[in-house]
Amino acid sequence: MSNESLKPFRNIETPGYVGFANLPNQVHRKSVKKGFEFTLMVVGESGLGKSTLVNTLFLADLYPERIVPDAIEKTHQIVKLDASTVEIEERGVKLRLTVVDTPGFGDAIDNTDRLKPLDIEFMKQLHNKVNIVPVIAKADVLTKKEMLRLKKRVLEEIESNGIKIYPLPDCDSDEDEEYKEQVRQLRESVPFAVCGANTLLEVRGRKVRGRLYPWGVVEVENPDHCDFIKLRTMLITHMQDLQEVTQEVHYENYRSERLAKGAPVPKRQTPSVFEEKPPTGDKDRILQEKEAELRRMQEMLAKMEAQMQQQQH
Ligand code: GDP
C-alpha cells in the first residue's frame, strides 16, 4: 500500500495523545461532554504481547508489578482473569478502560496451529456477547507475504466456524470521502496485524515507539510496518459504535434469550453514554456488578479450558 493511500491515518497521530479528543464532533459531542465507559478485554495465550500492546495503545502501564511465572509453574496454572482499570483524560474527554487479561489462557495446551482451537472455541462462546476484533500479535516476526497469508487463513477460519466479528458500520452516503476511505482501509486490514513496544527510540531525528533489531527499527506507529495505527483508529473512532452494538445487539439478544427461558435478567452492566452518571453511592454497586461479571467470565474460561484439555486426551 502506498503512503498516500494511508493518508487518513496520519491525521490522528498526535504524539502522547490517544486521540479521544479527536472523535468526530457531530457523533460524539455527548460522549465528550459526559465521558463514557469502555471495557476492553484482551484475550490470548501468555507471552503473546497483550500487555505490551495495551500499554502501547493507551500509554498506561497496567502491569507494573506483574510477575511472570516460570515454565513449570505455568503447566499448573489455572486460567485467571486479571482486570486492571485505568482512567485516561485527554483535553476534557474522560475514558475508563478496563482491560481484562487472561494469563495462562491456553498455555498448557499443546498445539502448533496459528489459530488455536481454544481461540476458535473462545470466539464461538463470546461472539454473541461481545464485539470481537481479531488481532494478530507480533506482526514483526512475519514477512509481508506470510502476514497476508495468515490474515487470509484467519478470516477463512473465522468464517468457516460461523464466527461473527465486529462489523465496521456502513458509511452514510453523505459522509466525507476521507472518512469513507478510512473505513474501507480499516475493513480491508482485519485482522489487524500489530506490534507493541514501550520503548522510545530515535530514528532519523524523530522519537518513535519501536523495537530495535540489529538490522533496524520496527516502528509501531508506522503504517508501513504494521496495523497498529489502524487498530487504534478503529478503537477510537468507532468506540461509541462498539459500545452501542454491545448494548443494542448483544445485551438485547442476551435479554431476550433469558426472557425466553423464563430466567431473570440481570441489570445492564455498563451505563449508557446517554444516561446520567450514577451518584457516587452507586459506585460500589457497579464495581460489585463488574466483579461478578468478571467472575462469570472466569468460570466460563475455566470450563472451556477443561473441555479443551479433555478433547486433547
Ligand atoms: P502477554 O503475556 O500476552 O501480556 O505478553 P507480554 O506483553 O508480556 O509480552 C511477552 C513478550 O513478547 C515480551 O518479551 C515482549 O517484549 C514481547 N513482545 C511484545 N510485543 C511484541 C511484538 O509486537 N513483537 C515482538 N517481536 N515481541 C513482542
Side-chain angles (χ1 to χ4, degrees):
M1 237 183 277
S2 74
N3 283 351
E4 196 49 36
S5 64
L6 287 161
K7 216 167 124 223
F9 296 100
R10 295 267 150 91
N11 295 345
I12 69 141
E13 278 185 75
T14 319
Y17 281 110
V18 181
F20 315 116
N22 298 330
L23 294 171
N25 280 347
Q26 67 283 20
V27 188
H28 299 279
R29 212 177 297 128
K30 284 202 176 175
S31 338
V32 168
K33 238 163 87 195
K34 287 187 180 171
F36 59 92
E37 197 176 293
F38 186 70
T39 304
L40 181 72
M41 175 157 93
V42 189
V43 183
E45 65 188 289
S46 288
L48 202 61
K50 300 181 301 293
S51 13
T52 311
L53 176 68
V54 165
N55 291 347
T56 321
L57 272 171
F58 297 101
L59 308 171
D61 199 357
L62 284 154
Y63 305 100
E65 285 149 32
R66 183 168 173 197
I67 300 159
V68 181
D70 62 27
I72 298 168
E73 232 181 285
K74 263 187 178 172
T75 52
H76 301 291
Q77 195 181 2
I78 48 156
V79 175
K80 190 167 148 285
L81 282 178
D82 188 350
S84 228
T85 300
V86 282
E87 278 196 8
I88 306 169
E89 185 168 348
E90 264 180 28
R91 288 184 259 166
V93 182
K94 277 195 193 142
L95 179 106
R96 191 173 318 143
L97 176 83
T98 305
V99 175
V100 184
D101 179 270
T102 56
F105 186 72
D107 275 349
I109 293 167
D110 173 35
N111 58 49
T112 45
D113 292 342
R114 287 251 187 245
L115 256 190
K116 319 241 181 221
L118 200 58
D119 291 335
I120 297 279
E121 191 50 37
F122 183 80
M123 290 197 276
K124 273 190 185 163
Q125 299 264 354
L126 282 197
H127 70 158
N128 282 325
K129 300 188 173 67
V130 295
N131 293 309
I132 293 179
V133 178
V135 169
I136 295 173
K138 299 189 184 176
D140 54 316
V141 302
L142 295 173
T143 65
K144 256 198 162 134
K145 209 166 150 190
E146 287 167 341
M147 184 54 71
L148 287 176
R149 210 179 302 145
L150 179 59
K151 279 190 172 195
K152 197 163 161 268
R153 248 195 65 199
V154 169
L155 284 185
E156 280 165 5
E157 284 205 41
I158 284 176
E159 204 183 315
S160 66
N161 282 283
I163 292 161
K164 284 177 272 167
I165 55 175
Y166 170 66
L168 281 153
D170 289 329
C171 294
D172 290 336
S173 53
D174 59 353
E175 212 75 69
D176 67 60
E177 286 307 315
E178 199 179 43
Y179 179 74
K180 282 187 195 159
E181 173 60 14
Q182 189 186 75
V183 174
R184 196 191 61 74
Q185 286 184 35
L186 291 179
R187 230 181 236 134
E188 194 181 86
S189 307
V190 175
F192 300 101
V194 297
C195 313
N198 296 311
T199 339
L200 274 179
L201 302 166
E202 188 142 335
V203 177
R204 290 183 294 276
R206 281 181 307 130
K207 279 241 185 301
V208 297
R209 264 183 301 159
R211 308 186 68 84
L212 179 65
Y213 290 101
W215 55 89
V217 171
V218 175
E219 295 172 38
V220 168
E221 291 171 78
N222 184 333
D224 292 331
H225 292 194
C226 75
D227 298 332
F228 175 84
I229 284 286
K230 292 191 186 119
L231 174 65
R232 198 176 65 179
T233 305
M234 204 287 285
L235 288 175
I236 292 166
T237 51
H238 295 280
M239 198 171 267
Q240 193 174 341
D241 185 62
L242 282 158
Q243 201 201 35
E244 281 171 9
V245 173
T246 307
Q247 287 172 4
E248 286 159 24
V249 180
H250 298 309
Y251 178 76
E252 282 310 316
N253 284 345
Y254 164 76
R255 204 173 73 95
S256 43
E257 231 174 71
R258 298 274 298 189
L259 288 175
K261 280 190 212 152
V265 184
K267 235 180 145 260
R268 197 159 62 186
Q269 307 288 335
T270 317
S272 154
V273 178
F274 301 108
E275 278 168 17
E276 288 302 325
K277 277 225 174 97
T280 5
D282 278 3
K283 265 196 177 155
D284 284 350
R285 182 184 54 80
I286 290 172
L287 271 178
Q288 276 168 11
E289 282 176 5
K290 195 137 250 164
E291 273 167 18
E293 190 187 353
L294 291 177
R295 263 200 308 276
R296 277 200 299 277
M297 206 75 105
Q298 181 176 351
E299 280 162 18
M300 195 184 87
L301 283 169
K303 228 192 272 166
M304 275 167 56
E305 191 164 57
Q307 268 172 11
M308 298 296 298
Q309 268 168 335
Q310 240 173 21
Q311 280 166 18
Q312 299 235 330
H313 291 137

